[in-house]
Amino acid sequence: MAKEIERKFLVVGSAWRTLAQGTRYRQGYLNSDKARTVRIRTVDDQAFLTIKGPTIGVTRTEFEYPIPYDDCITMLNDLAEQPVIDKIRYKISVDGLIWEVDEFLGVNEGLIVAEVELTSEDQAFEKPDWVGEEVSGDVRYYNSSLIKAPYTSWKA
């Protein structure tokens, strides 16, 4: 069984933009129930099915499998909850950790978050200067929540 231990933060400034090239992701949810999410996603010319359990603290069970790209496109267009999440992901290495910065597009444009995957919940790490407020426990920032309440619909 795979476990994902991940912390999520808002991104501040633009210094991170020079640190990596971005990759376009399109992802949709076949089931966005918080007890068990089923996600499909394209990453360049590859596609994946991911099943995640409930989040406890900053940890959850996760399984991911490659699937045929054309099948994924059909599922995104015909079966996935709408809107589909569209984003550019930048992978930035800092002090031996990989920070994934997601710059959202479409109905979530303007939202930029950084996630770091850890080996334990209490693992110490230094936040880069461009990493701001932690939002790990705020469900509004979960990708599965952004399909129901897109960032552009939030009130200031």
Side-chain angles (χ1 to χ4, degrees), residues 92-99 116-119 123-126:
I92 303 169
S93 180
V94 178
D95 295 331
L97 294 173
I98 302 296
W99 288 84
V116 64
E117 198 161 320
L118 305 171
T119 57
Q123 180 179 344
F125 62 93
E126 292 265 337

Tab-separated table of all heavy atoms in Angstrom, residues 92-99 116-119 123-126:
chain	number	residue	atom	x	y	z
A	92	ILE	N	10.634	21.695	-8.895
A	92	ILE	CA	11.802	22.465	-8.477
A	92	ILE	C	12.490	21.748	-7.327
A	92	ILE	O	11.871	21.503	-6.287
A	92	ILE	CB	11.388	23.894	-8.057
A	92	ILE	CG1	10.660	24.583	-9.223
A	92	ILE	CG2	12.597	24.681	-7.589
A	92	ILE	CD1	9.985	25.882	-8.848
A	93	SER	N	13.755	21.423	-7.506
A	93	SER	CA	14.534	20.748	-6.468
A	93	SER	C	15.146	21.786	-5.527
A	93	SER	O	15.826	22.710	-5.973
A	93	SER	CB	15.631	19.904	-7.118
A	93	SER	OG	16.389	19.256	-6.125
A	94	VAL	N	14.889	21.608	-4.221
A	94	VAL	CA	15.434	22.501	-3.195
A	94	VAL	C	15.868	21.645	-2.005
A	94	VAL	O	15.042	20.951	-1.403
A	94	VAL	CB	14.394	23.545	-2.721
A	94	VAL	CG1	14.976	24.426	-1.624
A	94	VAL	CG2	13.884	24.379	-3.879
A	95	ASP	N	17.148	21.672	-1.689
A	95	ASP	CA	17.682	20.953	-0.523
A	95	ASP	C	17.258	19.484	-0.485
A	95	ASP	O	16.857	18.961	0.557
A	95	ASP	CB	17.260	21.641	0.779
A	95	ASP	CG	17.852	23.028	0.921
A	95	ASP	OD1	18.948	23.272	0.383
A	95	ASP	OD2	17.207	23.883	1.569
A	96	GLY	N	17.311	18.820	-1.621
A	96	GLY	CA	17.008	17.395	-1.683
A	96	GLY	C	15.528	17.048	-1.748
A	96	GLY	O	15.171	15.873	-1.786
A	97	LEU	N	14.667	18.044	-1.764
A	97	LEU	CA	13.227	17.810	-1.890
A	97	LEU	C	12.735	18.374	-3.220
A	97	LEU	O	13.277	19.355	-3.722
A	97	LEU	CB	12.457	18.496	-0.756
A	97	LEU	CG	12.707	17.963	0.648
A	97	LEU	CD1	12.007	18.845	1.676
A	97	LEU	CD2	12.226	16.524	0.774
A	98	ILE	N	11.712	17.748	-3.771
A	98	ILE	CA	11.095	18.239	-4.999
A	98	ILE	C	9.827	18.993	-4.635
A	98	ILE	O	8.905	18.435	-4.041
A	98	ILE	CB	10.754	17.088	-5.977
A	98	ILE	CG1	11.991	16.288	-6.341
A	98	ILE	CG2	10.037	17.633	-7.221
A	98	ILE	CD1	13.043	17.067	-7.100
A	99	TRP	N	9.810	20.278	-4.965
A	99	TRP	CA	8.624	21.110	-4.804
A	99	TRP	C	7.878	21.114	-6.127
A	99	TRP	O	8.468	21.376	-7.181
A	99	TRP	CB	9.022	22.535	-4.419
A	99	TRP	CG	9.522	22.645	-3.024
A	99	TRP	CD1	10.787	22.398	-2.577
A	99	TRP	CD2	8.771	23.017	-1.880
A	99	TRP	NE1	10.866	22.598	-1.228
A	99	TRP	CE2	9.641	22.979	-0.766
A	99	TRP	CE3	7.440	23.385	-1.675
A	99	TRP	CZ2	9.226	23.297	0.523
A	99	TRP	CZ3	7.030	23.713	-0.399
A	99	TRP	CH2	7.921	23.661	0.683
A	116	VAL	N	4.996	19.823	-1.358
A	116	VAL	CA	6.222	19.074	-1.130
A	116	VAL	C	5.832	17.737	-0.510
A	116	VAL	O	5.009	17.683	0.411
A	116	VAL	CB	7.237	19.852	-0.255
A	116	VAL	CG1	6.705	20.109	1.147
A	116	VAL	CG2	8.578	19.149	-0.211
A	117	GLU	N	6.364	16.650	-1.068
A	117	GLU	CA	6.093	15.320	-0.549
A	117	GLU	C	7.202	14.951	0.422
A	117	GLU	O	8.388	15.123	0.129
A	117	GLU	CB	6.001	14.309	-1.699
A	117	GLU	CG	5.306	13.052	-1.283
A	117	GLU	CD	4.790	12.236	-2.456
A	117	GLU	OE1	4.285	12.833	-3.424
A	117	GLU	OE2	4.918	11.010	-2.381
A	118	LEU	N	6.800	14.436	1.581
A	118	LEU	CA	7.734	14.127	2.660
A	118	LEU	C	7.750	12.635	2.957
A	118	LEU	O	6.849	11.900	2.531
A	118	LEU	CB	7.330	14.908	3.915
A	118	LEU	CG	7.196	16.427	3.735
A	118	LEU	CD1	6.586	17.061	4.976
A	118	LEU	CD2	8.540	17.048	3.409
A	119	THR	N	8.749	12.200	3.698
A	119	THR	CA	8.835	10.790	4.089
A	119	THR	C	8.153	10.520	5.424
A	119	THR	O	7.844	9.381	5.746
A	119	THR	CB	10.305	10.324	4.160
A	119	THR	OG1	11.004	11.176	5.068
A	119	THR	CG2	10.956	10.390	2.780
A	123	GLN	N	8.791	15.426	9.284
A	123	GLN	CA	10.057	15.715	8.608
A	123	GLN	C	10.305	17.219	8.564
A	123	GLN	O	9.447	17.997	8.152
A	123	GLN	CB	10.029	15.151	7.185
A	123	GLN	CG	11.294	15.412	6.403
A	123	GLN	CD	11.247	14.820	4.995
A	123	GLN	OE1	10.411	13.975	4.695
A	123	GLN	NE2	12.140	15.266	4.138
A	124	ALA	N	11.480	17.629	8.995
A	124	ALA	CA	11.859	19.047	8.969
A	124	ALA	C	12.312	19.423	7.551
A	124	ALA	O	12.920	18.615	6.850
A	124	ALA	CB	12.982	19.306	9.964
A	125	PHE	N	12.002	20.657	7.154
A	125	PHE	CA	12.434	21.163	5.852
A	125	PHE	C	12.420	22.675	5.892
A	125	PHE	O	11.711	23.283	6.696
A	125	PHE	CB	11.557	20.636	4.712
A	125	PHE	CG	10.118	21.057	4.811
A	125	PHE	CD1	9.665	22.201	4.178
A	125	PHE	CD2	9.211	20.311	5.556
A	125	PHE	CE1	8.339	22.586	4.274
A	125	PHE	CE2	7.888	20.696	5.653
A	125	PHE	CZ	7.446	21.831	5.016
A	126	GLU	N	13.224	23.271	5.024
A	126	GLU	CA	13.271	24.730	4.884
A	126	GLU	C	12.359	25.130	3.730
A	126	GLU	O	12.416	24.543	2.648
A	126	GLU	CB	14.698	25.184	4.568
A	126	GLU	CG	15.678	24.984	5.688
A	126	GLU	CD	15.848	26.231	6.537
A	126	GLU	OE1	15.570	27.345	6.038
A	126	GLU	OE2	16.241	26.075	7.699
